[in-house]
């Protein structure tokens, strides 16, 4: 083949690959594997746009997105607490987009500058294995202080805040319970450390560990424990800390530098819609919807029945990098 022909073939092949990449939406997904798989499939079914996903915990997603800033591998970020989205926004990693569906989302659960939108909400809870606790002479845990009991040595399942949005929610909850005192929050986490089984990379893993009786109690979002109950694991009971608890607002955003920005915006429109937000229970995902047209499922946590801390996601997000750095230095590195 002549040199010019070789060059032309290479250009055409590169153009074809580029076109394929532009036509596809790639999602960094921060919820459960089943939920992520269902969401991208239903989006493709509804729009005809090809989509796939990579399941990442929120800390992992933020790091991947930050590292690939110049050559972004994802178009959309979907799921996982918005604390990380706030951090990403401050680093210029998100592309503002005001969706046609934004007006259907509860106003307190959407960024004023439309760099991210809330897609679901979940309440932080204790997932108790009543059999394992009974063998330790304990009842289901209903207090952050009870979680420090010596009978729970090596029996508390929790993730690491460097990788897990669930764990960062737990850490920031301690900040709020201590009137904004980060030193006091870290002191609590140091006291809890001897009771920790190991620091997972993903928050939902704690529910599985409790369900399999590897741990006696886990710090999870309540819908993760409910999902484990529905998968046939016995002896599980959800409780909420009586001092107060935090909550996650699952996020959604178009990423700066997306290869397929038009497809990414279509994905956001679809994900904010009532049709999309009704899908969670099909895969035992019982978080609260943020779309005002979608009623909460009967198995979702009722915020009115739980004592919530005044969780400011903007403040929590901006404090995340420094606070997680202190956790790593003063409490533990990721497992």
């Amino acid at each position: 083949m002549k040199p010019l022909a070789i060059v032309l073939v290479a250009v055409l092949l590169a153009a074809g690959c580029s076109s394929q990449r532009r036509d596809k939406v790639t999602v960094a997904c921060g919820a459960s594997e089943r939920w992520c798989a269902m969401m991208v499939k239903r989006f493709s079914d509804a729009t005809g746009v090809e989509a796939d996903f990579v399941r990442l915990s929120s800390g992992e997603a933020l790091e991947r997105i930050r590292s690939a800033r110049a050559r972004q591998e994802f178009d959309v970020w979907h799921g996982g607490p918005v604390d990380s989205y706030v951090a990403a926004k401050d680093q210029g990693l998100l592309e503002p987009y005001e969706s046609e569906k934004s007006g259907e989302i509860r106003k307190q659960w959407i960024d004023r500058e439309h760099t991210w939108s809330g897609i679901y909400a979940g309440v932080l809870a204790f997932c108790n294995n009543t059999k394992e606790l009974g063998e330790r002479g304990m009842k289901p845990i209903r207090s952050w202080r009870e979680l420090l009991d010596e009978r729970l040595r090596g029996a508390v399942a929790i993730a690491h805040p460097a990788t897990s949005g669930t764990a960062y929610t737990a850490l920031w909850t301690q900040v709020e319970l201590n009137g904004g005192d980060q030193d006091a929050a870290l002191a609590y986490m140091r006291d809890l450390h001897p009771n920790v089984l190991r620091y997972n990379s993903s928050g939902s893993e704690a529910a599985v560990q409790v369900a399999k009786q590897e741990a006696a109690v886990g710090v999870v979002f309540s819908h993760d424990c409910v999902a484990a109950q529905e998968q046939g694991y016995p002896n599980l009971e959800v409780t909420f800390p009586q001092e107060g608890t935090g909550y996650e607002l699952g996020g959604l955003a178009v990423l700066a530098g997306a290869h397929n920005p038009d497809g990414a915006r279509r994905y956001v429109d679809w994900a904010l819609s009532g049709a999309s937000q009704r899908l969670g229970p099909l895969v035992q995902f019982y978080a609260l919807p943020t779309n005002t047209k979608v009623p909460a499922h009967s198995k979702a946590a009722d915020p009115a029945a739980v004592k919530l801390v005044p969780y400011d996601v903007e403040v929590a997000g901006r404090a995340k990098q420094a606070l997680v750095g202190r956790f790593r230095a003063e409490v533990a590195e990721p497992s």
Side-chain angles (χ1 to χ4, degrees):
M1 187 179 290
K2 295 181 179 180
L4 179 58
I6 293 173
V7 171
L8 288 173
V9 169
V11 168
L12 289 171
L13 286 172
C17 292
S18 174
S19 175
Q20 286 181 349
R21 195 167 191 181
R22 284 197 302 269
D23 289 343
K24 187 178 186 179
V25 173
T26 303
V27 180
C29 192
S32 70
E33 190 90 13
R34 293 180 66 202
W35 184 86
C36 296
M38 177 182 67
M39 285 294 169
V40 296
K41 182 180 186 304
R42 291 298 187 106
F43 166 72
S44 294
D45 290 345
T47 65
V49 177
E50 185 182 357
D52 65 4
F53 74 95
V54 177
R55 199 282 166 193
L56 298 166
S57 61
S58 63
E60 293 169 330
L62 179 58
E63 184 57 35
R64 285 270 290 268
I65 291 164
R66 183 194 294 121
S67 298
R69 181 195 297 264
R71 296 175 60 84
Q72 192 52 253
E73 60 182 310
F74 302 111
D75 300 295
V76 177
W77 191 2
H78 191 190
V82 296
D83 305 334
S84 292
Y85 290 69
V86 172
K89 173 186 174 181
D90 289 347
Q91 296 171 48
L93 301 174
L94 307 184
E95 186 70 31
Y97 173 55
E98 184 173 1
S99 169
E100 61 187 19
K101 296 293 184 180
S102 294
E104 297 178 12
I105 305 303
R106 291 173 174 82
K107 290 183 179 179
Q108 70 272 29
W109 287 351
I110 194 166
D111 178 43
R112 291 187 296 272
E113 297 173 350
H114 298 283
T115 52
W116 55 262
S117 299
I119 199 71
Y120 59 78
V123 179
L124 196 66
F126 299 138
C127 186
N128 300 272
N129 188 304
T130 56
K131 180 180 179 182
E132 178 65 24
L133 286 168
E135 291 175 359
R136 295 169 182 266
M138 302 182 72
K139 295 180 180 179
I141 305 303
R142 301 181 184 276
S143 160
W144 291 108
R145 303 313 304 178
E146 288 180 43
L147 211 60
L148 305 179
D149 194 302
E150 291 184 355
R151 290 173 290 180
L152 290 175
R153 287 288 184 262
V156 175
I158 191 170
H160 196 285
T163 57
S164 162
T166 308
Y168 185 71
T169 302
L171 175 56
W172 192 256
T173 295
Q174 295 306 316
V175 174
E176 294 288 3
L177 288 172
N178 285 282
D181 187 339
Q182 295 187 15
D183 292 337
L186 288 165
Y188 173 85
M189 300 307 290
R190 285 195 296 273
D191 289 342
L192 178 64
H193 177 72
N195 288 4
V196 174
L197 173 63
R198 66 173 179 271
Y199 291 100
N200 305 317
S201 61
S202 171
S204 59
E205 187 178 344
V208 177
Q209 290 170 321
V210 175
K212 293 181 176 180
Q213 216 170 330
E214 297 171 9
V217 59
V219 181
V220 300
F221 292 118
S222 62
H223 53 259
D224 289 325
C225 193
V226 173
Q229 289 173 327
E230 292 216 330
Q231 289 165 25
Y233 289 104
N235 309 314
L236 297 183
E237 182 177 334
V238 177
T239 58
F240 296 95
Q242 62 188 17
E243 303 98 325
T245 193
Y247 62 91
E248 72 165 331
L249 180 59
L252 174 70
V254 175
L255 292 172
H259 290 281
N260 186 356
D262 290 337
R265 288 188 283 268
R266 288 188 71 182
Y267 187 95
V268 168
D269 292 340
W270 176 83
L272 292 176
S273 71
S276 169
Q277 294 201 19
R278 287 184 174 88
L279 296 174
L282 296 179
V283 288
Q284 290 78 51
F285 186 80
Y286 298 110
L288 296 161
T290 60
N291 189 303
T292 56
K293 297 183 178 181
V294 181
H297 194 277
S298 61
K299 294 184 179 179
D302 180 4
V306 179
K307 185 177 181 181
L308 298 176
V309 300
Y311 199 104
D312 189 322
V313 296
E314 294 281 350
V315 175
R318 294 195 172 98
K320 184 169 187 174
Q321 184 172 358
L323 185 56
V324 168
R326 287 192 63 187
F327 186 98
R328 297 180 72 150
E330 299 176 30
V331 182
E333 288 285 343
S335 298

